[in-house]
Amino acid sequence: MPLLSQFLDGLSVASPLFLLGAGLSLSIGLTRFVNLSHGSLAVLGAYAACSVTPLLPPAPSSLLLAILAAAILVGVGGAVLEIVLFRRLYRAPLFRQLLGTIGLLLVLYDAALAVWGTGVISLPVIPGRGVRMAAGALVGAALLLILHGTRWGQRVRAASADTARLRTEGPDPWLATGVAGLAALLAGLAGALSGRAAPSFDLSFLSGAILVSLAGGFGSVAGAGLAALAIGLLQTLTVTQFPGLTLLPALCVATIVLIVRPAGLLGRPYGEPPFAADPLPIRPAPLSARLLGCAVLLLAALTPFLATPGTLSVFTALPIAVLFVASLHLIAGPGGIPSLGQAAFFGIGAYAAVGATQQSQIGFGPALLAAPLVAGAAAFLVGALTVPLPAIATAMATLATAQALWQVAIGHPSLDLAGRPAWATGPTLYWLTLALCVGGTLWLRRLLYAPFGYALRALRDDPARAAALGLPRYRIRLTAFTLAGAVSGLAGGPPPPNPGPAPAPPI
């Protein structure tokens, strides 16, 4: 009986994961467009169900009506978003697509905060595992029937397979609207079935959808079902050993699948938009820009003599942010690698510096050195798996990995940055962060104008010609990813002027 109960619990967990992943997978399969606001749509579905339920008469059927109404409302909203926003981004470079949907995610997050607040609200009765299993089975059967038994579904499958036309002309507008509405409806249904809503749940929903769609293969409903089933069963089996770390089993399943089959279980190789627009020619900085930079640097060095202690605390965080952004620019700009998990290496650097001090009682220098070394090693491991993937899959995999690492960090009681040692304070800490920022940024700039940097740009701008010239694509891009992770970890090494609570989930 315990084994049967665990199996049923696994099916119950797999059902909302399937709904989330199937919708995102269908959308990406047709449009080659990554909607990073997909998790927010699930949150809106949960909020809509919680808001509609009090308006209905108290009866068992009212809960089901509220869930269906919430899913339909979110589905209509998803179709409207496709017409108003997404349709304008299909032909845009991948980098702009990612930025546009991240912006929408933040807007929906703030809207949920303004309307419902920060707390968690729940349905009067949380849907049981029987309801969730039935919903997953019925929706899965309906999706397969629609895709394989109707003309509309056949057109969707044919359009998804026409990679050349999608790359040159983009998807059919009304097909894309229908698929976007269907994906939003499935996300809203998954959120409503969860029975609980909070603005911070958006990245958790999104990460689950990403891992299921990656493991199952873009455009494949059956693949999403198999991936969700494997993830749900593994989560159920490991929940007693790793309570609260629900993304780790999903990340393990997706990683194993992508190693064996990069296109997913039942996915096919696909085309995708370019990462950036036509590159600008490389020119040296004009003299006016250099003089302005020197003046800003001189003013920054004199800031401790001009600023109050409170203002200096704010300015101390700026060099750290600049160095972090410079590390992201190395791979997201010239490197053409759409990493959405760079904040994870920043946090790993911070934890490495703290751990080196607390475990070994070493001084400031070795502890600070541990930050880029450990972060660089972590970036090498993550990059070894994600860099070979297509750009769309790389962006999704790095975001899900960062979210899983964040979940580990906040769920482990021994990982606490609140008590990290303050090796320096006041002006000394400020000058330390400024020196690290200037030195790290200039080193990255020198790297980009060396032969390595030009090779990195060549792989981004014309991969076929770069390969014909004999440039080792995997090795160069993995080196760039590792170096960017190490510099990001270096930015996280110095203690912040005012350590605060646990950070928000990374993007």
Side-chain angles (χ1 to χ4, degrees):
M1 289 302 293
L3 185 60
L4 177 60
S5 179
Q6 284 189 334
F7 179 75
L8 294 177
D9 287 340
L11 294 180
S12 175
V13 172
S15 178
L17 285 175
F18 165 69
L19 297 175
L20 286 166
L24 185 61
S25 178
L26 284 175
S27 178
I28 296 176
L30 175 67
T31 63
R32 307 302 193 263
F33 175 76
V34 183
N35 179 14
L36 294 181
S37 66
H38 197 71
S40 299
L41 298 177
V43 171
L44 291 179
Y47 273 124
C50 295
S51 301
V52 170
T53 302
L55 305 178
L56 300 175
S61 59
S62 297
L63 178 63
L64 295 179
L65 289 175
I67 292 174
L68 290 176
I72 293 172
L73 287 174
V74 175
V76 173
V80 172
L81 283 174
E82 195 280 333
I83 296 172
V84 174
L85 176 62
F86 299 158
R87 190 173 294 182
R88 290 163 172 77
L89 296 174
Y90 290 150
R91 303 293 298 277
L94 178 60
F95 186 69
R96 294 180 184 175
Q97 293 182 5
L98 297 175
L99 288 181
T101 54
I102 287 175
L104 177 60
L105 181 147
L106 297 176
V107 169
L108 294 177
Y109 176 86
D110 287 340
L113 282 179
V115 176
W116 290 285
T118 59
V120 178
I121 63 175
S122 304
L123 289 172
V125 179
I126 304 296
R129 67 185 183 186
V131 173
R132 284 179 287 183
M133 287 190 297
L138 291 175
V139 170
L143 286 176
L144 292 176
L145 179 62
I146 291 173
L147 291 175
H148 294 273
T150 65
R151 288 190 63 185
W152 183 83
Q154 292 172 357
R155 289 179 61 195
V156 169
R157 291 192 296 115
S160 300
D162 193 353
T163 299
R165 181 178 179 182
L166 286 173
R167 187 184 296 113
T168 57
E169 302 179 16
D172 179 270
W174 298 113
L175 280 182
T177 301
V179 170
L182 177 61
L185 185 147
L186 294 176
L189 180 59
L193 287 173
S194 70
R196 300 167 66 246
S200 58
F201 290 175
D202 52 359
L203 285 180
S204 297
F205 283 126
L206 175 62
S207 299
I210 284 174
L211 293 173
V212 169
S213 60
L214 281 175
F218 296 149
S220 174
V221 172
L226 292 175
L229 182 61
I231 291 171
L233 293 175
L234 187 58
Q235 280 186 4
T236 304
L237 293 174
T238 58
V239 69
T240 55
Q241 286 77 20
F242 306 100
L245 303 183
T246 56
L247 287 179
L248 279 181
L251 185 61
C252 292
V253 171
T255 301
I256 294 172
V257 170
L258 292 177
I259 291 174
V260 177
R261 184 174 169 79
L265 289 173
L266 299 179
R268 292 176 294 183
Y270 53 91
E272 57 187 356
F275 178 71
D278 293 335
L280 297 175
I282 301 173
R283 298 189 179 96
L287 179 61
S288 58
R290 298 183 184 185
L291 293 176
L292 179 61
C294 292
V296 171
L297 183 59
L298 178 61
L299 181 61
L302 297 176
T303 297
F305 303 105
L306 306 174
T308 63
T311 306
L312 183 62
S313 176
V314 175
F315 275 96
T316 301
L318 291 180
I320 296 176
V322 169
L323 184 58
F324 170 74
V325 172
S327 71
L328 179 60
H329 169 72
L330 172 67
I331 52 174
I337 304 173
S339 173
L340 297 178
Q342 195 71 3
F345 307 124
F346 181 93
I348 288 173
Y351 284 117
V354 174
T357 303
Q358 293 178 345
Q359 300 298 326
S360 307
Q361 299 297 320
I362 61 178
F364 156 70
L368 188 59
L369 182 61
L373 292 178
V374 177
F380 176 81
L381 294 176
V382 174
L385 299 175
T386 58
V387 165
L389 300 176
I392 290 177
T394 299
M396 297 169 66
T398 51
L399 175 60
T401 302
Q403 178 67 5
L405 292 174
W406 172 81
Q407 193 179 71
V408 172
I410 65 169
H412 202 290
S414 63
L415 297 177
D416 184 10
L417 290 182
R420 63 190 302 186
W423 298 297
T425 57
T428 305
L429 177 59
Y430 172 80
W431 280 319
L432 167 66
T433 58
L434 183 62
L436 292 176
C437 170
V438 173
T441 304
L442 290 179
W443 179 72
L444 289 177
R445 186 181 186 279
R446 179 68 188 89
L447 191 68
L448 288 176
Y449 285 90
F452 175 81
Y454 286 100
L456 198 60
R457 292 187 185 91
L459 290 168
R460 177 199 65 184
D461 299 337
D462 197 339
R465 185 175 182 183
L469 293 174
L471 293 178
R473 182 178 185 271
Y474 177 69
R475 189 173 66 192
I476 291 175
R477 287 162 66 90
L478 178 58
T479 301
F481 195 91
T482 303
L483 293 176
V487 174
S488 181
L490 178 63
N498 291 307
I507 280 193

